[in-house]
Amino acid sequence: MIEKNRVVLYLTVATLAFAVLFPLVTGLNMYYLTVLILIVIFIIFASAWNFLTYSGQGSLGHAAFFGIGGYISTLIAVKSGLTPYLTIFIGGAGAALVGLFIGAICVRMKEWFLAMVTFGFAVIIQVLVASQFVSVTGGWDGVAAPPLISNTVPNYLVYEYYSILLIAVVVILLFRTILNSKIGLAFSAIRENELEARASGIDPVRYKLFAFMVSAYFSGLAGALEISYLGYVTPEIFGVDISFWPIIYSISGGLGTLAGPIIGTIVITLLWDGLQSLGLTYGRFIIIGIILVLVVIFLPRGLVSLPEVIKKRAPVWKARFNKLLSK
Amino acid sequence: MEIGLDIFLQVMVWGLYAGCIYILLATGLNLIFGVMKVVNFAHGQLLMIGAYVTFSFFVLTGFNPYVLLAASIPILIVIGVCIERLCFRPILGTGKLNEIFISIGLIYILENVAAMIWTDEWKTIRSPFEEITVTIGGMKIPVDYLIIIVTTVLILVGLYIFLKKTRLGLAVRATSQNRKAAMLVGINVERMDMLSFGIGAGLAGAAGTLWVVSGQVFNPYMGSVPAVKAFAIVIIGGLGSIPGAIIGGLILGIAENFTVLTIGGAWKDAVAFLILILVLIIKPNGLFGEKAE
């Protein structure tokens, strides 16, 4: 166990060192920075989605929180002139409030019911933003969003990247602290058997709502970061794709682990960009879809469990290989 | 807004017609759920494939598109059986989230394979009966709507006879009631899985043909919305209840068209979920749901 902890620590430090040093080593290459920024933002988003699954819940509509965070942060920044460094947190708070509302409705639902209702909320919120509050949200045209750092500053992307990286590290440490605390223990009790959890004095509703709020808050934060990076926001942000990405990242990395969404986001994003540069417009979706199906069937605990699986299977493969040679 | 009786009836007929497509999708989903206890979120993509199969055959042969039901249903049954064997059987019984994840993968695969084959432009065809309308009680109804409603009824009656009057249908119902007991009396439940998934996909294919025939536009990405609504209907009606699916489909078809008339087109897609959420707040297992999962 100690051995494993040490490996995890080394890997964490190595990843972090890589994330910090990479832009400097590559001479502040703009293309790499844009890729890295998007990866780090989606790591926050996927981790927030994954946080919800710890409490035995799931969501097919996290784009709702991502988008609300983006809209609230942008609108406040535009109207008040506050720096996005402050408004992103207000955006997160707005998403958390909506999360509390949706969570209160969903808290007694399970599996497909939960999936459908969360999905439905994303659709309803999209309609509200696009057609009901047009005077504020600009309808389908959207709103221009102020950037974190004005692009007149030299190397502004570098500062943005390090700010976002810092936020991501803090968020993941926070998740780690919460999950290692009594709250995390309550989450697993609820996830495994809600009735037993209640019998031992845990109030599932309170914990589930808490999980929903925290998850919504950081999804909103990620959305606000994404929007201030992109520079505009339209109702497209509530689309199905945005809801699906954190799920794909978390599953391919490993559901219910801290490292899973991080690894999944990095691997799938790099693969995605690689396939794009090969010119596979539709092919990349098909490949991602096939990978998702294969992972669910053959590697249900995600890429994180790959070393374990290989360790377990290696003797079998070796025996087979030797058999093949001796023939 | 003043709504006269004639407009009311007109909207009812539209709703009935829109409901038909939802009913076909929801019935298929329910059949699959009943037997396998699996929800195929990629069901709408099967509708989309059905629409494109109809389109391709229509362009190639020029047959009456209603005849092409004979092409879209069998082709979709084959696709459905393949999907069941390759994707859903390996994860049967491994947890309810996995099927959602598999479906997401399938959605990406099916949509983009279709986009590669047929490009992602919006397509539409013209029904040969486009110009013909029938006047009933003072309102003009396109004859296509009537044919679609009749076709749906025929398909549902056929399904009912299959399920209630044949031995195979009996085996399907037995598996859906109690999988283990069905296995004990010698029913090949895996074959029933394949069969129910095939029929479910075939019904989606029929829905696809009807979608095309009614002159609605379609592209590779149009499947998600009707599928999710169909699933909302399944939940509104109660998981596993086919009468529930039919009533839910009609309610939604009519509700949607009244929404367009009264509040505005933008709310058309959201109203399904508003109904869903309201129903679930009041009756957490749906209108005809049997028991809590």
Side-chain angles (χ1 to χ4, degrees):
Chain A
M1 223 36 218
I2 295 164
E3 186 65 17
K4 201 182 161 193
N5 280 343
R6 191 169 289 172
V7 171
V8 170
L9 182 69
Y10 287 156
L11 277 177
T12 315
V13 171
T15 314
L16 210 57
F18 179 80
V20 172
L21 295 176
F22 187 75
L24 303 176
V25 175
T26 53
L28 307 177
N29 182 313
M30 290 292 253
Y31 172 71
Y32 290 137
L33 272 173
T34 56
V35 173
L36 281 176
I37 287 177
L38 283 177
I39 288 182
V40 177
I41 290 173
F42 271 87
I43 283 178
I44 302 177
F45 189 25
S47 300
W49 185 86
N50 187 44
F51 184 82
L52 189 61
T53 63
Y54 278 96
S55 66
Q57 305 180 92
S59 160
L60 283 187
H62 252 48
F65 309 127
F66 195 73
I68 286 173
Y71 263 103
I72 292 183
S73 161
T74 302
L75 291 174
I76 291 179
V78 169
K79 296 263 145 70
S80 68
L82 282 174
T83 159
Y85 272 108
L86 286 173
T87 59
I88 51 170
F89 296 102
I90 307 174
L97 265 182
V98 177
L100 187 66
F101 173 71
I102 297 179
I105 289 173
C106 291
V107 80
R108 279 177 188 83
M109 296 175 190
K110 290 196 112 173
E111 287 111 17
W112 311 290
F113 292 81
L114 185 61
M116 283 313 302
V117 171
T118 46
F119 187 99
F121 269 113
V123 175
I124 293 171
I125 290 171
Q126 182 177 46
V127 172
L128 279 176
V129 169
S131 70
Q132 294 301 304
F133 302 119
V134 179
S135 56
V136 191
T137 62
W140 280 105
D141 296 333
V143 200
L148 271 182
I149 291 163
S150 158
N151 57 10
T152 49
V153 178
N155 287 329
Y156 67 103
L157 270 186
V158 181
Y159 299 114
E160 272 194 34
Y161 170 66
Y162 283 116
S163 323
I164 296 171
L165 185 65
L166 181 70
I167 294 173
V169 171
V170 172
V171 168
I172 286 161
L173 283 178
L174 186 73
F175 282 164
R176 189 169 179 272
T177 320
I178 294 176
L179 293 170
N180 283 342
S181 73
K182 268 193 171 167
I183 301 174
L185 213 57
F187 280 172
S188 15
I190 293 167
R191 190 178 63 229
E192 297 305 329
N193 191 329
E194 205 172 315
L195 210 64
E196 280 175 17
R198 200 178 301 173
S200 50
I202 296 166
D203 179 6
V205 173
R206 251 179 56 200
Y207 283 99
K208 280 180 158 182
L209 279 181
F210 174 73
F212 228 103
M213 266 184 78
V214 172
S215 177
Y217 182 87
F218 290 106
S219 303
L221 182 66
L225 286 171
E226 160 104 350
I227 292 312
S228 71
Y229 163 72
L230 286 179
Y232 63 91
V233 56
T234 70
E236 303 266 341
I237 196 173
F238 298 105
V240 180
D241 276 341
I242 301 284
S243 286
F244 283 178
W245 280 122
I247 308 178
I248 295 171
Y249 295 146
S250 303
I251 294 166
S252 48
L255 217 56
T257 59
L258 273 177
I262 303 172
I263 295 174
T265 310
I266 296 171
V267 171
I268 300 285
T269 311
L270 291 181
L271 184 71
W272 182 254
D273 286 352
L275 292 173
Q276 189 172 28
S277 61
L278 289 177
L280 295 165
T281 16
Y282 303 126
R284 55 187 176 154
F285 281 103
I286 300 174
I287 291 170
I288 297 286
I290 292 173
I291 288 176
L292 193 63
V293 171
L294 291 179
V295 165
V296 173
I297 295 175
F298 295 107
L299 209 62
R301 283 183 297 139
L303 288 170
V304 178
S305 67
L306 196 60
E308 236 173 280
V309 171
I310 290 176
K311 215 185 205 171
K312 221 180 188 174
R313 291 287 182 82
V316 183
W317 290 335
K318 216 173 176 182
R320 266 190 212 156
F321 184 66
N322 286 339
K323 213 167 152 192
L324 218 69
L325 282 185
S326 63
K327 255 183 195 167
Chain B
M1 192 200 291
E2 205 58 29
I3 300 174
L5 187 68
D6 51 332
I7 296 178
F8 179 81
L9 285 173
Q10 189 85 51
V11 172
M12 283 292 276
V13 174
W14 284 341
L16 221 58
Y17 141 79
C20 283
I21 285 166
Y22 296 142
I23 288 171
L24 287 174
L25 280 177
T27 309
L29 277 174
N30 248 333
L31 193 68
I32 298 171
F33 178 81
V35 173
M36 299 176 74
K37 305 286 177 278
V38 152
V39 172
N40 174 26
F41 276 92
H43 215 63
Q45 279 61 35
L46 297 175
L47 172 142
M48 177 271 295
I49 302 268
Y52 272 107
V53 168
T54 313
F55 170 79
S56 296
F57 275 92
F58 181 73
V59 171
L60 281 175
T61 64
F63 284 161
N64 184 318
Y66 289 103
V67 178
L68 295 173
L69 277 174
S72 67
I73 296 177
I75 290 177
L76 263 291
I77 289 178
V78 172
I79 295 176
V81 169
C82 295
I83 289 177
E84 195 275 324
R85 298 229 51 163
L86 292 175
C87 301
F88 283 98
R89 185 168 303 175
I91 58 142
L92 219 55
T94 58
K96 283 163 186 148
L97 286 177
N98 278 350
E99 73 215 33
I100 299 178
F101 303 153
I102 287 266
S103 304
I104 294 177
L106 277 174
I107 290 173
Y108 279 119
I109 296 172
L110 293 173
E111 281 184 348
N112 291 285
V113 167
M116 278 174 103
I117 302 176
W118 289 289
T119 75
D120 58 3
E121 280 161 36
W122 290 97
K123 288 201 164 67
T124 176
I125 63 172
R126 282 165 174 275
S127 160
F129 309 131
E130 200 182 29
E131 305 291 321
I132 310 168
T133 55
V134 185
T135 314
I136 298 173
M139 57 173 174
K140 281 184 173 170
I141 303 166
V143 79
D144 276 317
Y145 283 20
L146 291 178
I147 302 179
I148 285 170
I149 293 169
V150 170
T151 313
T152 309
V153 172
L154 285 180
I155 291 174
L156 290 176
V157 169
L159 184 69
Y160 178 83
I161 293 172
F162 167 73
L163 286 176
K164 292 277 177 177
K165 304 286 176 194
T166 65
R167 279 190 73 81
L168 205 57
L170 187 70
V172 170
R173 280 188 295 138
T175 316
S176 142
Q177 269 175 19
N178 191 332
R179 199 179 171 85
K180 270 187 194 142
M183 235 188 273
L184 282 175
V185 297
I187 293 170
N188 186 342
V189 290
E190 294 193 329
R191 193 172 291 162
M192 295 306 130
D193 288 351
M194 249 163 69
L195 188 69
S196 62
F197 211 104
I199 295 175
L203 290 176
T209 303
L210 296 184
W211 181 285
V212 172
V213 171
S214 63
Q216 299 199 64
V217 290
F218 53 96
N219 80 352
Y221 309 107
M222 60 69 121
S224 304
V225 175
V228 174
K229 284 186 204 160
F231 191 63
I233 291 165
V234 170
I235 287 183
I236 291 171
L239 278 172
S241 156
I242 291 181
I246 295 172
I247 295 171
L250 289 179
I251 293 177
L252 182 62
I254 293 167
E256 268 188 356
N257 281 289
F258 272 107
T259 312
V260 174
L261 188 70
T262 51
I263 313 179
W267 282 91
K268 185 170 178 270
D269 289 338
V271 72
F273 301 104
L274 286 173
I275 297 176
L276 171 80
I277 292 164
L278 284 178
V279 167
L280 285 184
I281 290 173
I282 299 161
K283 289 201 73 168
N285 293 318
L287 293 178
F288 299 89
E290 289 144 26
K291 56 181 189 331
E293 259 306 320

